[in-house]
Amino acid sequence: MTSSRLTDYVAELNEWVSIETPSAERKSVARLLELVAAQCARSGLSVEWAGGGDGACQTLLARSGPAGSEPGILVLAHLDTVHPCGTLQSALRWRIEGDRLYGPGVYDMKGSALMALAAWRRLRETGRSSKVPVTFLFSPDEEIGSPSSRTVIEDEARRALAALVVEPARDGGKIVTSRKGVARFVITASGHAAHSGSNFELGRSAVSEIAVHIPAIEALTDLARGITVNVGTISGGTSPNTVPAHCRIEVDVRLQRLDQVEPTLAAIRSLIPRDPDVTLEIAGELNRPPFDHGPESQRLFHHARTVAATLGIELVGVAAGGASDGNFTSAIGVPTLDGLGVDGAGAHTLEEHILLSSVVPRIDLFASLLETTDLGRLQTASAE
């Protein structure tokens, strides 16, 4: 039985992966969304579309019941990847080596998105059902910050009892109970160009200006408090014999808690030029708020761990430095668990793979979570 289930899963995943879906290739992403929508409809779910506009892909919603009928479970997945089209035919071919299945997006996160749908089907096949409505949300743009899907995610979350995020599991099947928030900044210095031999004194170096600020920016890092500030790219100047008129850096900020956001971002925004003849332009904002493991999410984790134990699975929760759409649901107060997908490794690399041995156990676990997660169970977990 298990072998047949895994064979069917692998065949369907192959169909999903054969449609390469880097976030910017909207036609390809839309094509996969349409395929998944048809499969959801055949699985007894009602399909809706939301968001989009300005050329962006719409977000796919697949519901087990009428929208807004009662608080239910929101399942978050995304279908875009970071791998450019052509990766499947060259650097990361679909292949199975022992327990590992390789391919672009199999781990992050097509394998887990399919796992969630397979869990729903498993419920139906075994004559079981969820106690509350379930909405599967498939995002088209999570890898680039969810610009078109964020509003849809937050609107759906406000009507949800809990959010279950099927980002891939961590080593050994660990799930994610908290994530850092993310902010991004672009800082541009503008000075005056001049010939470095003939008219050096007339120049105002944008590179020198930026160089002054980099140590101050990175000094905001506080590892003990979970804050990291990284100047990740720098560009500027035109030639070695020209005083550079322009320089640009990109800054990544990771924050553990909500109360760290404003002081850290304010420190970056308050930078002022050392050279009065050079201007600084600072653009950026918080992209994803921190996902904190608050009391409500702790109760949800307790419930999930209890359910997992009945299946012989020891569920372990870990904190993650990377962000996901679960950051949005957690920030508005919805109990959230993340990393509930299949196990594997190599996200965003040419070694991306899932572990086939994890697939059926994770399908069964997720099916049990869909079946048992309701307000009564969470209240019971709180009492315990």
Side-chain angles (χ1 to χ4, degrees):
M1 177 65 175
T2 298
S3 176
S4 174
R5 290 170 61 192
L6 183 58
T7 298
D8 292 344
Y9 169 91
V10 170
E12 192 167 9
L13 181 57
N14 190 4
E15 187 177 15
W16 287 29
V17 173
S18 70
I19 304 173
E20 294 181 276
T21 53
S23 308
E25 296 292 336
R26 293 171 179 172
K27 289 184 179 179
S28 296
V29 176
R31 181 181 164 205
L32 180 56
L33 284 164
E34 291 286 356
L35 172 65
V36 174
Q39 293 172 336
C40 287
R42 289 196 294 270
S43 302
L45 298 165
S46 62
V47 170
E48 300 176 17
W49 299 93
D54 295 326
C57 288
Q58 290 186 297
T59 296
L60 170 61
L61 300 167
R63 304 187 192 274
S64 68
S69 55
E70 62 176 299
I73 300 169
L74 176 62
V75 179
L76 295 180
H78 68 85
L79 298 179
D80 61 323
T81 76
V82 300
H83 299 286
C85 288
T87 303
L88 181 62
Q89 289 73 41
S90 57
L92 184 51
R93 294 181 180 275
W94 172 276
R95 66 189 189 277
I96 296 175
E97 297 178 358
D99 192 35
R100 296 183 174 188
L101 188 157
Y102 289 85
V106 292
Y107 180 62
D108 188 13
M109 62 175 295
K110 291 179 181 179
S112 298
L114 177 57
M115 177 220 73
L117 182 56
W120 171 255
R121 293 169 178 162
R122 186 65 179 162
L123 280 185
R124 289 164 56 84
E125 291 167 359
T126 54
R128 297 140 68 198
S129 63
S130 60
K131 291 181 172 59
V132 296
V134 179
T135 295
F136 296 86
L137 186 153
F138 297 93
S139 163
D141 57 3
E142 189 272 348
E143 293 290 3
I144 55 172
S146 308
S148 71
S149 58
R150 176 175 180 172
T151 299
V152 181
I153 292 165
E154 292 176 335
D155 287 347
E156 292 296 323
R158 291 186 181 97
R159 297 191 288 268
L161 167 70
L164 303 179
V165 188
V166 292
E167 288 284 349
R170 296 307 188 261
D171 293 343
K174 299 180 180 69
I175 69 170
V176 176
T177 54
S178 65
R179 290 182 181 271
K180 290 185 178 182
V182 181
R184 291 281 172 81
F185 285 89
V186 174
I187 302 176
T188 305
S190 298
H192 302 288
H195 192 287
S196 62
S198 302
N199 299 299
F200 181 85
E201 69 281 3
L202 299 180
R204 297 293 182 268
S205 173
V207 168
S208 295
E209 183 66 41
I210 287 291
V212 168
H213 296 290
I214 289 176
I217 293 168
E218 295 195 330
L220 296 171
T221 292
D222 187 336
L223 294 178
R225 298 173 60 217
I227 300 172
T228 59
V229 183
N230 180 61
V231 178
T233 69
I234 183 168
S235 59
T238 55
S239 68
N241 61 344
T242 303
V243 176
H246 300 285
C247 189
R248 179 181 187 270
I249 57 173
E250 293 178 291
V251 183
D252 176 273
V253 183
R254 305 280 165 149
L255 304 149
Q256 192 76 55
R257 301 192 315 270
L258 282 169
D259 62 4
Q260 298 168 343
V261 172
E262 189 51 39
T264 306
L265 271 55
I268 295 174
R269 290 173 176 145
S270 65
L271 295 172
I272 58 174
R274 177 203 60 172
D275 186 335
D277 294 328
V278 177
T279 61
L280 282 181
E281 180 182 349
I282 302 170
E285 60 185 359
L286 185 71
N287 173 258
R288 296 180 192 271
F291 164 7
D292 192 13
H293 190 46
E296 297 294 329
S297 292
Q298 290 177 27
R299 285 193 279 273
L300 181 58
F301 173 66
H302 180 96
H303 167 65
R305 188 170 55 185
T306 301
V307 170
T310 67
L311 299 173
I313 299 171
E314 182 182 2
L315 208 60
V316 176
V318 296
S324 81
D325 287 336
N327 290 60
F328 300 137
T329 59
S330 173
I332 61 176
V334 179
T336 301
L337 281 186
D338 203 339
L340 290 163
V342 295
D343 200 2
H348 296 203
T349 77
L350 297 179
E351 294 298 317
E352 182 171 358
H353 64 273
I354 63 172
L355 300 179
L356 292 172
S357 58
S358 75
V359 171
V360 171
R362 298 301 274 205
I363 290 173
D364 290 341
L365 172 59
F366 202 73
S368 293
L369 288 175
L370 294 179
E371 179 186 21
T372 62
T373 301
D374 61 17
L375 183 59
R377 295 291 183 119
L378 296 184
Q379 288 174 335
T380 299
S382 176
E384 293 175 353

